[in-house]
Amino acid sequence: METKTVLVTGGGRGIGKAIALAFAKEGYQVAVNYNGSEEAAKETASLCEQEGVKAKIYRCNVADYTAVEQMMKQVNEDFGSIDVLVNNSGITKDGLLLRMKEEDFDKVIDINLKGTFNCIRHAARIMMKQRHGSIINMSSVVGIMGNIGQMNYAASKAGIIGLTKSVAKELASRNIRVNAIAPGFVETEMTKVLSEEARSAAMSVIALKRFASVDDIANLAVFLGSDKSSYITGQTIQVDGGMSM
């Protein structure tokens, strides 16, 4: 069987780390992008290698158009292909409308939305030459429902949904599929800091009465990256335990 390669942005921690490991367990070579902790990225790559696959780390700010272009070229050179791209990099800079600083709005849009565009833009050229590929963009139920104090984050994640649908239409003729995952509350470092009151409030609107595990998200990513989802494109799949029904 031909060895395939997945590139996961923001692959050092949380959901990104789980996605990288899930693909490694399926036999994919793994390129781990990071921009913060090199130690965390190395740990992810090491765990992937324990599954018997090749893994390398790549430092790059996804908001930097030229740096992303160089990263994609390097990954393609190192592994021979980019079969699956998972755009997982993202940040939050929460605040109410009248208190939000312009730079906090801009930074979230730059990394979450423009970063996703940058990665798709440069990976697409490689995938078009291959005449195959799967692109998975990480959105959020917040991008569908909105949320008080997260208008910048919600705007970036809603933008990813529109980006996903448009790019899916453009790339379908080249056998490249583009889908989005919209998680609800997930058990990560980000949600561990929630107060008991905040957790209870969240749980009250989740039909399954629990937060997602990172593996709940990773399992869907692997499915969307595989040939088992070969007739699925342009979709946003909510993994929220029934929160947004």
Side-chain angles (χ1 to χ4, degrees), residues 7-17 19 33 62 85-91 111-112 116 119 136-139 157 183 217:
L7 167 58
V8 183
T9 70
R13 292 190 177 97
I15 293 172
K17 179 179 182 179
I19 289 172
N33 159 262
V62 295
L85 167 64
V86 182
N87 286 308
N88 172 71
S89 286
I91 63 165
I111 292 176
N112 296 8
T116 299
C119 291
I136 302 159
N137 301 322
M138 204 59 63
S139 182
K157 295 302 186 177
I217 313 302

Side-chain angles (χ1 to χ4, degrees), residues 81-230:
S81 68
I82 300 176
D83 303 284
V84 181
L85 167 64
V86 182
N87 286 308
N88 172 71
S89 286
I91 63 165
T92 57
K93 294 279 184 181
D94 295 348
L96 296 170
L97 170 65
L98 297 181
R99 295 178 186 169
M100 183 166 289
K101 298 175 183 176
E102 181 184 9
E103 56 264 35
D104 287 345
F105 186 90
D106 290 347
K107 190 163 188 180
V108 168
I109 296 296
D110 278 350
I111 292 176
N112 296 8
L113 182 55
K114 185 171 182 282
T116 299
F117 159 75
N118 288 342
C119 291
I120 293 174
R121 171 69 174 77
H122 296 303
R125 190 177 295 278
I126 294 165
M127 290 180 173
M128 286 169 78
K129 287 180 181 177
Q130 298 171 169
R131 297 196 68 84
H132 76 268
S134 176
I135 297 170
I136 302 159
N137 301 322
M138 204 59 63
S139 182
S140 168
V141 291
V142 170
I144 297 166
M145 301 169 62
N147 195 32
I148 293 170
Q150 286 194 305
M151 63 167 186
N152 52 355
Y153 185 74
S156 71
K157 295 302 186 177
I160 285 172
I161 293 172
L163 181 68
T164 297
K165 291 177 182 292
S166 298
V167 176
K169 289 183 176 181
E170 288 192 27
L171 298 182
S173 64
R174 300 298 185 97
N175 195 33
I176 300 167
R177 298 180 297 105
V178 189
N179 292 289
I181 298 174
F185 284 93
V186 184
E187 293 285 6
T188 62
E189 290 176 14
M190 197 181 296
T191 54
K192 278 179 184 175
V193 301
L194 291 174
S195 65
E196 277 305 313
E197 185 181 5
R199 286 183 73 91
S200 295
M203 214 69 77
S204 69
V205 296
I206 299 173
L208 292 180
K209 300 303 175 191
R210 69 173 178 88
F211 285 9
S213 71
V214 290
D215 291 334
D216 289 325
I217 313 302
N219 290 339
L220 177 57
V222 170
F223 171 71
L224 290 174
S226 76
D227 291 338
K228 292 179 181 179
S229 60
S230 62

